[in-house]
Amino acid sequence: MSNSVQRMAKAGENIRKLGFCMAAVFAGMLVAFAALVVYVIWYAVANVASVDSFGVVTLLDGGCIVIPSGLCLALVVGISLVVLCGISRNISRGVSPFTKTHVRLIRVLALAFAVNAAVSLVGAYGSVSLTIGGLELYIVPHSFVIEICQGATFDAGSFIGAVVCLCISVIWSYASLLQEQSDELV
């Protein structure tokens, strides 16, 4: 029996260490992403040449930013990093990965992907293309866009991401119920 208890204690310590490392990585990525978003916004405001009715900002150097898809990209990436950082931080503090709070956070992530897919339905997709110094920044927010019929598009990648997150949340919910039951037995 003591061997089993030792293995569980070692596994718990390993998952806490992994949670700490993941929280540090995701927090660093969140800070870097926030800095990039702030810089791109500053650069766009400082170098705007024109803005059309579809939200396409043309820059003085010839680059462009499609505002709706850029905002959705920022929303999905930002929410993803916040959710992953929060779950990792909880795990590093010894909280079980399988909690109802984590299930809700994963569902929020699914909602962010669904919103991104919905924006593509109104045709507000496009790329971010900037040249800053010698560095070219080119981002395609909706990389798996399917044209359904004349002009109507659908972001299948974000839709698939939303479905996968919802499926994971259902599995996570079941695991959280098993975790609660296990904790009650001990």
Side-chain angles (χ1 to χ4, degrees):
M1 186 69 162
S2 67
N3 191 18
S4 176
V5 171
Q6 287 175 342
R7 284 191 317 214
M8 287 297 291
K10 177 116 173 101
E13 183 60 30
N14 287 342
I15 195 80
R16 280 189 289 280
K17 287 178 184 176
L18 178 64
F20 178 78
C21 291
M22 289 177 9
V25 167
F26 291 132
M29 289 173 68
L30 182 61
V31 168
F33 181 72
L36 177 66
V37 167
V38 168
Y39 183 75
V40 167
I41 290 171
W42 170 82
Y43 186 81
V45 169
N47 295 299
V48 66
S50 67
V51 180
D52 70 9
S53 61
F54 295 107
V56 177
V57 177
T58 304
L59 302 174
L60 294 173
D61 66 359
C64 68
I65 299 174
V66 180
I67 293 174
S69 61
L71 288 176
C72 282
L73 172 70
L75 173 81
V76 171
V77 172
I79 287 175
S80 299
L81 291 172
V82 167
V83 164
L84 294 171
C85 189
I87 290 173
S88 300
R89 189 172 5 100
N90 286 345
I91 292 170
S92 73
R93 293 178 179 161
V95 175
S96 170
F98 305 110
T99 65
K100 293 191 184 303
T101 301
H102 295 163
V103 170
R104 283 190 294 273
L105 288 172
I106 294 168
R107 288 183 180 154
V108 166
L109 185 57
L111 179 64
F113 277 111
V115 166
N116 199 36
V119 167
S120 74
L121 286 172
V122 296
Y125 70 96
S127 61
V128 174
S129 174
L130 302 173
T131 304
I132 303 168
L135 177 68
E136 287 189 32
L137 177 66
Y138 186 75
I139 301 169
V140 181
H142 304 283
S143 58
F144 190 23
V145 173
I146 299 170
E147 188 168 344
I148 300 169
C149 60
Q150 292 178 304
T153 58
F154 179 66
D155 183 6
S158 290
F159 179 74
I160 291 168
V163 170
V164 167
C165 286
L166 283 174
C167 291
I168 289 172
S169 76
V170 170
I171 294 167
W172 219 270
S173 179
Y174 178 68
S176 74
L177 292 173
L178 290 176
Q179 181 73 46
E180 285 177 16
Q181 186 179 23
S182 172
D183 290 347
E184 289 173 3
L185 291 175
V186 174

